[in-house]
Amino acid sequence: MTVTFDTYREQQLNWLKQEVNIEEFRCAAAKIVVIHMPIIKDKNNWYGMAQLAQHYGPVLHNAGIDLMICRHMHNNLWIGTEKSGFNYPVIVCSNEDFMEVKLDSRRLNFKIRGKESQLVYYQSMVLE
Protein backbone atom coordinates (compact mmCIF):
# COMPACT_ATOMS: atom_id res chain seq x y z
CA MET A 1 0.00 0.00 0.00
CA THR A 2 1.32 3.45 -0.93
CA VAL A 3 0.54 6.40 1.28
CA THR A 4 0.63 9.90 -0.14
CA PHE A 5 0.45 13.02 1.91
CA ASP A 6 0.00 15.39 -1.03
CA THR A 7 -3.79 15.50 -0.70
CA TYR A 8 -3.52 16.03 3.04
CA ARG A 9 -0.95 18.83 2.56
CA GLU A 10 -3.26 20.47 0.00
CA GLN A 11 -6.15 20.43 2.48
CA GLN A 12 -3.90 21.92 5.16
CA LEU A 13 -2.71 24.59 2.72
CA ASN A 14 -6.29 25.65 1.97
CA TRP A 15 -6.97 25.88 5.72
CA LEU A 16 -3.77 27.90 6.27
CA LYS A 17 -4.65 30.39 3.54
CA GLN A 18 -7.95 31.07 5.33
CA GLU A 19 -6.43 31.27 8.83
CA VAL A 20 -3.76 33.84 7.97
CA ASN A 21 -6.50 36.18 6.74
CA ILE A 22 -8.69 36.20 9.84
CA GLU A 23 -8.54 39.31 12.02
CA GLU A 24 -7.28 37.50 15.14
CA PHE A 25 -4.23 36.31 13.21
CA ARG A 26 -3.56 39.56 11.38
CA CYS A 27 -3.71 41.52 14.66
CA ALA A 28 -1.77 39.01 16.79
CA ALA A 29 1.09 40.42 18.87
CA ALA A 30 3.32 37.52 17.81
CA LYS A 31 2.91 35.23 14.81
CA ILE A 32 4.64 31.97 15.65
CA VAL A 33 4.34 28.78 13.60
CA VAL A 34 4.90 25.46 15.38
CA ILE A 35 5.38 22.65 12.89
CA HIS A 36 7.27 19.37 12.70
CA MET A 37 9.26 20.01 9.49
CA PRO A 38 10.90 23.40 8.97
CA ILE A 39 9.66 25.33 5.96
CA ILE A 40 12.84 26.71 4.44
CA LYS A 41 14.29 27.14 0.97
CA ASP A 42 17.09 24.62 0.62
CA LYS A 43 18.25 22.91 -2.56
CA ASN A 44 18.78 19.72 -0.50
CA ASN A 45 15.16 19.52 0.70
CA TRP A 46 13.64 16.11 0.08
CA TYR A 47 10.17 15.82 -1.42
CA GLY A 48 8.00 16.62 1.62
CA MET A 49 10.05 19.60 2.74
CA ALA A 50 10.34 20.84 -0.85
CA GLN A 51 6.54 20.72 -1.19
CA LEU A 52 6.10 22.67 2.03
CA ALA A 53 8.64 25.27 0.90
CA GLN A 54 7.05 25.63 -2.52
CA HIS A 55 3.44 25.92 -1.34
CA TYR A 56 3.40 26.95 2.33
CA GLY A 57 6.50 29.15 2.36
CA PRO A 58 5.04 31.99 0.26
CA VAL A 59 1.81 31.98 2.32
CA LEU A 60 3.74 32.27 5.58
CA HIS A 61 6.11 34.86 4.13
CA ASN A 62 3.18 37.03 3.03
CA ALA A 63 1.50 36.55 6.42
CA GLY A 64 4.40 38.19 8.26
CA ILE A 65 5.45 35.25 10.42
CA ASP A 66 7.75 36.27 13.29
CA LEU A 67 9.19 32.84 13.98
CA MET A 68 8.92 29.14 13.14
CA ILE A 69 9.57 26.49 15.81
CA CYS A 70 10.13 22.89 14.67
CA ARG A 71 11.89 19.55 15.18
CA HIS A 72 12.50 16.95 12.46
CA MET A 73 16.18 17.63 11.77
CA HIS A 74 17.66 15.74 14.77
CA ASN A 75 19.96 18.59 15.80
CA ASN A 76 19.58 22.04 17.29
CA LEU A 77 19.69 24.83 14.72
CA TRP A 78 19.05 28.52 14.40
CA ILE A 79 18.25 29.46 10.81
CA GLY A 80 18.29 33.22 10.54
CA THR A 81 15.82 35.31 8.61
CA GLU A 82 18.30 35.78 5.78
CA LYS A 83 18.88 32.02 5.40
CA SER A 84 15.33 30.65 5.71
CA GLY A 85 14.38 32.01 2.31
CA PHE A 86 11.03 33.31 3.56
CA ASN A 87 12.02 36.27 5.76
CA TYR A 88 11.37 34.57 9.10
CA PRO A 89 13.81 32.87 11.47
CA VAL A 90 13.53 29.18 12.31
CA ILE A 91 14.60 27.47 15.51
CA VAL A 92 14.93 23.68 15.40
CA CYS A 93 15.09 21.52 18.51
CA SER A 94 16.73 18.10 18.22
CA ASN A 95 14.90 14.84 18.78
CA GLU A 96 16.73 14.31 22.08
CA ASP A 97 16.26 17.74 23.66
CA PHE A 98 13.34 19.95 24.68
CA MET A 99 12.70 23.64 24.30
CA GLU A 100 11.43 26.26 26.72
CA VAL A 101 10.03 29.41 25.12
CA LYS A 102 9.24 32.56 27.06
CA LEU A 103 7.73 35.75 25.66
CA ASP A 104 8.42 38.92 27.66
CA SER A 105 6.69 41.87 26.05
CA ARG A 106 8.34 41.77 22.59
CA ARG A 107 11.34 39.54 23.42
CA LEU A 108 11.30 35.80 22.82
CA ASN A 109 13.78 33.70 24.79
CA PHE A 110 14.51 30.08 23.85
CA LYS A 111 16.33 27.58 25.99
CA ILE A 112 17.02 24.15 24.58
CA ARG A 113 17.75 21.65 27.31
CA GLY A 114 19.23 18.18 27.14
CA LYS A 115 18.09 14.93 28.74
CA GLU A 116 19.40 16.00 32.14
CA SER A 117 17.80 19.45 31.80
CA GLN A 118 21.19 21.06 31.14
CA LEU A 119 21.21 24.12 28.91
CA VAL A 120 22.57 23.16 25.48
CA TYR A 121 21.47 26.18 23.43
CA TYR A 122 20.12 29.65 24.06
CA GLN A 123 18.68 32.17 21.62
CA SER A 124 16.85 35.43 22.12
CA MET A 125 15.12 37.67 19.63
CA VAL A 126 13.07 40.86 19.63
CA LEU A 127 9.79 40.82 17.75
CA GLU A 128 9.38 43.80 15.48
Side-chain angles (χ1 to χ4, degrees), residues 42-56:
D42 186 332
K43 64 181 179 179
N44 297 317
N45 278 349
W46 59 275
Y47 182 77
M49 286 180 66
Q51 291 291 303
L52 292 175
Q54 180 180 354
H55 300 290
Y56 288 58

Side-chain angles (χ1 to χ4, degrees), residues 20-35:
V20 298
N21 285 306
I22 63 173
E23 185 176 353
E24 291 87 354
F25 178 85
R26 290 191 329 268
C27 297
K31 297 174 183 169
I32 301 172
V33 174
V34 179
I35 188 168

Side-chain angles (χ1 to χ4, degrees), residues 113-126:
R113 298 191 178 275
K115 292 179 184 176
E116 305 298 320
S117 296
Q118 76 278 16
L119 183 65
V120 295
Y121 184 83
Y122 175 82
Q123 183 73 38
S124 181
M125 68 178 281
V126 176

Side-chain angles (χ1 to χ4, degrees), residues 39-119:
I39 300 175
I40 56 174
K41 287 184 184 177
D42 186 332
K43 64 181 179 179
N44 297 317
N45 278 349
W46 59 275
Y47 182 77
M49 286 180 66
Q51 291 291 303
L52 292 175
Q54 180 180 354
H55 300 290
Y56 288 58
V59 174
L60 296 173
H61 170 77
N62 293 334
I65 298 303
D66 294 305
L67 173 72
M68 179 172 286
I69 298 173
C70 43
R71 303 270 298 186
H72 186 70
M73 300 183 72
H74 302 275
N75 53 354
N76 299 316
L77 291 171
W78 174 261
I79 303 168
T81 300
E82 68 287 348
K83 291 188 177 182
S84 73
F86 294 110
N87 203 34
Y88 52 74
V90 179
I91 189 163
V92 182
C93 185
S94 82
N95 60 318
E96 295 186 354
D97 299 328
F98 65 94
M99 183 185 306
E100 297 172 346
V101 180
K102 184 175 182 181
L103 174 62
D104 291 324
S105 183
R106 299 293 295 162
R107 177 171 293 282
L108 276 167
N109 298 297
F110 312 93
K111 292 180 181 177
I112 296 180
R113 298 191 178 275
K115 292 179 184 176
E116 305 298 320
S117 296
Q118 76 278 16
L119 183 65

